Amino acid sequence: MSAQAGTQALVGDARRKRRRGVNGGSGAFYAFISPWLIGTVLLTLFPLGYALWISFTNWDGISPSQNWIGLENYTDALAEPQMWASLQRTGLLAIVIVPVTICGGLGLALLLNEKVHWRSGLRMLVYLPAIVPPVAATLTWKLLFDRDSGAINGFLAIFGADAVSWMSGNTVFIVLMVVMLWGIGAGVLINLAALQDVPAELHEAARLDGANAFSAFWHVTLPSISPVLLFQVITTTIGVLQTFVPALLLSPANGPAAITAVPEANRIFMVDVYAQYFAYSRYGYASAMLWLFFLAILVVTIITFKIGGRTVFYAVDLSEEGKQK
Amino acid sequence: MNTHKHISRRSVLGGAALLAGFAAAGLTGCSASGSGGAAQKSGGLTIMSKGGEIKKEVIDAWVAEHPDVPITLIEDDPTRLNAMLAAGTPPDVVRSLGATSTANIASRGLALDLDPYVSKSTVLKDGELAKINDVWRWDGTRQGEGARFGLVKDWSQDAMFWYNTEAFAAAGVPLPTADKPFTYDQLLEYAALMTKRSAGKVDQYGLFTTAPTIEAISSMLATSGARAFNDDLTKVDFTSPEAMRALQWHVDVAKAKVGYTLADPNPDGWDWPPFDAKRIAMAAAGYWFGGAVAGNPKTAEFARLAPAPMMGTERVSPSTSATGHWISAKSNMKDEAFAFLEWYVAGDQAKTRAQSGWGLPAVTSLTSELPQSQPYQAEALAVQKNEEQYLQIMSFSPYAQATAVSAAVANLFPRAVDGSLSTAQFADQATTAVNELLKQGMELAGKKG
């Protein structure tokens, strides 16, 4: 056997071993990952498949029978003005919340990255609302915005303004946005970490080249933290689109009746889905709505990735990394 | 020889899929076996109720008398109940509103027929059960007739209301009496007189919280001799003159802004907090509200109970809840579950509850236990005793849940209030939406929609 053939045989054997997971490390890897893997199959893939099955039936959640109705739930959902209205509200929420959260979080992070007095205390104050349980935060805002006894109207009264009915009509949508923006501190923390990871020599080089503060931010800081910003855009978008709990908690009713009392302005998509499941007992229809929404989120995420791929700057040159391998 | 056990990606993925398959089959199997009631008889009774109602001391008292039948209490949660029913492992005893759930649970075979148990009972003699228990009867077409599928816990006539005598006196509004109830038009007129505002804030609303629920509409229609549902309970019609009038009244209340409505929701979720704080002059509640009034001596001075208002000329005062419990048809502890119900609705616990004033007892023998030491209690009891002759059992459709029907109507209500929909359009669209729900329920029940 020639030396070349011997080398090829060794390489081939190594590849086969790697594929089959011969070494002990591979076994340990799968052993460690198996709880997650099994959990995903049982608690995500199986429910997804089950919801897909239900979406082709007219099941009401408690009846013993599930009649197969094909694509009727999907065609009904797509023809239902209420679904489009709730989708529109959800889209509006995302259009407002995502940019404000990202830009606001970045702006605050830039400020808190400066060497100022009480910097640690200020950082803690900004981050604090993010660790307050969302239920407690939402209920507190609900009390603050109460028309007759809330502090917001009390503050407005100082300037002679009449009390506003915040919790009804379209104004309750503003309350929902305030509640959601209250947790902006989580993004600030991520941006702060990203800002501190920007190499100082890049800023020094920019300064030597005569760049002012804005130029340095635009040409150095922003590209350097762009992968982190893309991550935030994607996770915040998905999170906002799936918003449910704050809208439900802002409902005037408590308990199971809460879902039917959510003001129209706050009937965002997941509220609509929940109401279809548990108020109207339309399990099949609600499952179809969820699957349509799942596909919509998938499309939004792919588009975000595509756009992000063109604008995000990665510090590692992937082509160079490929060559080394 | 290589004896090392390989764990490959393929085998892990395959194993996970296999496990999921077994789990899926297991779940389906659970469901299937559940329908046959094959579960083991062990672990005591599982009761789905409200923690605030069946308190720890109640459970302790039961276990002291029945040490071999422990109780596991799970919180009343429709979502969880649906999941448990779907899995074929429902609780043994379930709390429900008999007025709106009896037809649904009985026609689906979920609830146990209690007649054989009641006939054998030495505690619950048929003649001693208050008439309200008939709400839990269902003969396949009508409520109030046929087999008994549940027992009332404590009850009230829910279209009645409580009022603040001081607010009425201040506005010069005459007080309602037991034999001369208000009309709904009078309520609207008087509520406007008692509503007080300042700088955009409402200091006091005149009327109780209103919502066009199927229960509220049905109660109003009953006083006109009309009904929302047709004879076989397969359809509703909100376009009848009586139903349109009831819907119009709710729209008028919201437009007049004389009480909390869906357009201006009650931030407290129910009427006790604002009534207690004198922020509303009337509270929508039956006799049971007296239990709350007892907690505040100052409120007890001005709180009085009024008979159910009338839209038409016929006095009808239904119970739109008739809260009680049913036993699952799949329970494997049926005898123990019924023993618990007997004990809970007619035993010492029921006597204690009757004495508290939080509702009327399910058995007539405990009526004498109702509180009457304070003036408001004596007057409330007198009004209640007179009102009982107007109790009427209304049939609710087995093909939809009350929450779903009410939600379908509530969904359109804001547009009727802001003028986007006329009352006729509101009635028409609500009828279509609810009939669609009923049609779906009928299809699932194997009936032609």
Side-chain angles (χ1 to χ4, degrees), chain A residues 19-24 26-28 30-31 33-34 37-38 41-42 46 50 58-67 69 72 76 82 142 146-150 153-154 157 161-165 167-169 251-254 256-257 260-261 263-264 267 274 276-285, chain B residues 2 4-10 12-13 15-17 19-21 23-25 27-28 50 76-79 81-83 85-86 104 108 110 198-203 205 260 262-270 279 401 403-408 410-412 414-415 436-437 440-441 443-446:
Chain A
R19 270 205 302 273
R20 289 174 186 171
V22 153
N23 56 39
S26 181
Y30 286 120
I33 205 173
S34 60
L37 201 60
I38 293 166
V41 172
L42 283 179
F46 174 68
Y50 191 54
N58 65 350
W59 194 41
D60 65 354
I62 53 170
S63 290
S65 59
Q66 300 175 344
N67 301 331
I69 56 168
E72 199 178 307
D76 282 357
Q82 188 175 307
K142 195 176 175 181
D146 185 78
R147 181 191 58 199
D148 299 328
S149 57
N153 278 347
D162 276 359
V164 179
S165 293
M167 302 308 292
S168 59
S251 166
N254 304 316
T260 57
E264 193 173 9
R267 280 192 209 143
Y274 191 87
Q276 294 295 344
Y277 269 116
F278 303 113
Y280 299 102
S281 298
R282 298 174 75 188
Y283 278 58
Y285 180 79
Chain B
N2 185 7
H4 190 91
K5 185 82 177 172
H6 297 293
I7 304 173
S8 69
R9 181 175 55 195
R10 190 169 293 181
V12 170
L13 289 170
L19 197 64
L27 287 173
T28 316
K50 290 201 180 291
D76 182 21
D77 177 354
T79 310
L81 178 62
N82 278 9
L85 287 167
N104 199 305
R108 285 162 198 259
L110 301 176
S198 60
K201 290 186 181 182
V202 175
D203 299 319
Y205 268 141
Y260 291 118
L262 291 177
D264 177 18
N266 181 345
D268 296 298
W270 67 308
R279 283 189 280 117
Q401 293 182 34
T403 49
V405 173
S406 296
N411 203 20
L412 297 160
R415 271 167 271 169
E436 190 60 38
L437 284 172
Q440 177 192 308
E443 283 168 2
L444 283 166

Side-chain angles (χ1 to χ4, degrees), chain A residues 153-164:
Chain A
N153 278 347
F155 177 73
L156 293 175
I158 296 170
F159 304 101
D162 276 359
V164 179

Side-chain angles (χ1 to χ4, degrees), chain A residues 175-207:
Chain A
V175 179
L176 178 64
M177 288 196 285
V178 170
V179 169
M180 293 182 69
L181 289 171
W182 188 235
I184 203 170
V188 174
L189 196 74
I190 295 169
N191 285 322
L192 258 178
L195 287 173
Q196 286 164 13
D197 209 31
V198 178
E201 54 267 31
L202 288 180
H203 279 290
E204 272 178 37
R207 207 165 40 243

Side-chain angles (χ1 to χ4, degrees), chain A residues 227 230-235 237-238 297-312 314:
Chain A
L230 176 65
F231 164 77
Q232 287 186 77
V233 168
I234 290 169
T235 53
T237 305
I238 293 173
I297 290 179
L298 204 63
V299 169
V300 168
T301 309
I302 290 169
I303 291 171
T304 312
F305 259 119
K306 289 278 179 197
I307 296 170
R310 290 180 197 153
T311 54
V312 169
Y314 289 100

Side-chain angles (χ1 to χ4, degrees), chain A residues 45-316:
Chain A
L45 296 182
F46 174 68
L48 266 173
Y50 191 54
L52 184 66
W53 157 255
I54 291 174
S55 73
F56 297 116
T57 73
N58 65 350
W59 194 41
D60 65 354
I62 53 170
S63 290
S65 59
Q66 300 175 344
N67 301 331
W68 177 269
I69 56 168
L71 290 171
E72 199 178 307
N73 285 326
Y74 289 89
T75 52
D76 282 357
L78 292 170
E80 176 59 61
Q82 188 175 307
M83 192 204 75
W84 289 107
S86 66
L87 202 59
Q88 230 170 7
R89 286 182 209 111
T90 311
L92 180 61
L93 198 65
I95 287 169
V96 175
I97 299 293
V98 175
V100 174
T101 303
I102 305 296
C103 297
L106 180 58
L108 282 168
L110 285 167
L111 289 173
L112 293 170
N113 202 34
E114 295 296 315
K115 287 173 184 168
V116 291
H117 286 301
W118 308 105
R119 188 166 70 165
S120 300
L122 286 171
R123 284 178 179 176
M124 193 190 73
L125 278 178
V126 169
Y127 186 61
L128 205 58
I131 57 170
V132 172
V135 173
T138 309
L139 294 178
T140 304
W141 281 110
K142 195 176 175 181
L143 290 173
L144 289 170
F145 277 106
D146 185 78
R147 181 191 58 199
D148 299 328
S149 57
I152 307 286
N153 278 347
F155 177 73
L156 293 175
I158 296 170
F159 304 101
D162 276 359
V164 179
S165 293
W166 295 103
M167 302 308 292
S168 59
N170 289 329
T171 50
V172 74
F173 193 67
I174 296 171
V175 179
L176 178 64
M177 288 196 285
V178 170
V179 169
M180 293 182 69
L181 289 171
W182 188 235
I184 203 170
V188 174
L189 196 74
I190 295 169
N191 285 322
L192 258 178
L195 287 173
Q196 286 164 13
D197 209 31
V198 178
E201 54 267 31
L202 288 180
H203 279 290
E204 272 178 37
R207 207 165 40 243
L208 288 172
D209 286 345
N212 59 20
F214 179 77
S215 291
F217 168 75
W218 191 256
H219 295 293
V220 177
T221 309
L222 209 54
S224 300
I225 65 166
S226 56
V228 175
L229 292 176
L230 176 65
F231 164 77
Q232 287 186 77
V233 168
I234 290 169
T235 53
T236 310
T237 305
I238 293 173
V240 172
L241 292 177
Q242 294 179 341
T243 300
F244 169 63
V245 173
L248 187 68
L249 289 173
L250 290 175
S251 166
N254 304 316
I259 193 68
T260 57
V262 172
E264 193 173 9
N266 274 3
R267 280 192 209 143
I268 48 181
F269 198 84
M270 290 309 292
V271 169
D272 200 7
V273 168
Y274 191 87
Q276 294 295 344
Y277 269 116
F278 303 113
Y280 299 102
S281 298
R282 298 174 75 188
Y283 278 58
Y285 180 79
S287 297
M289 283 179 76
L290 271 186
W291 262 95
L292 289 172
F293 198 48
F294 171 69
L295 294 175
I297 290 179
L298 204 63
V299 169
V300 168
T301 309
I302 290 169
I303 291 171
T304 312
F305 259 119
K306 289 278 179 197
I307 296 170
R310 290 180 197 153
T311 54
V312 169
F313 172 82
Y314 289 100
V316 178

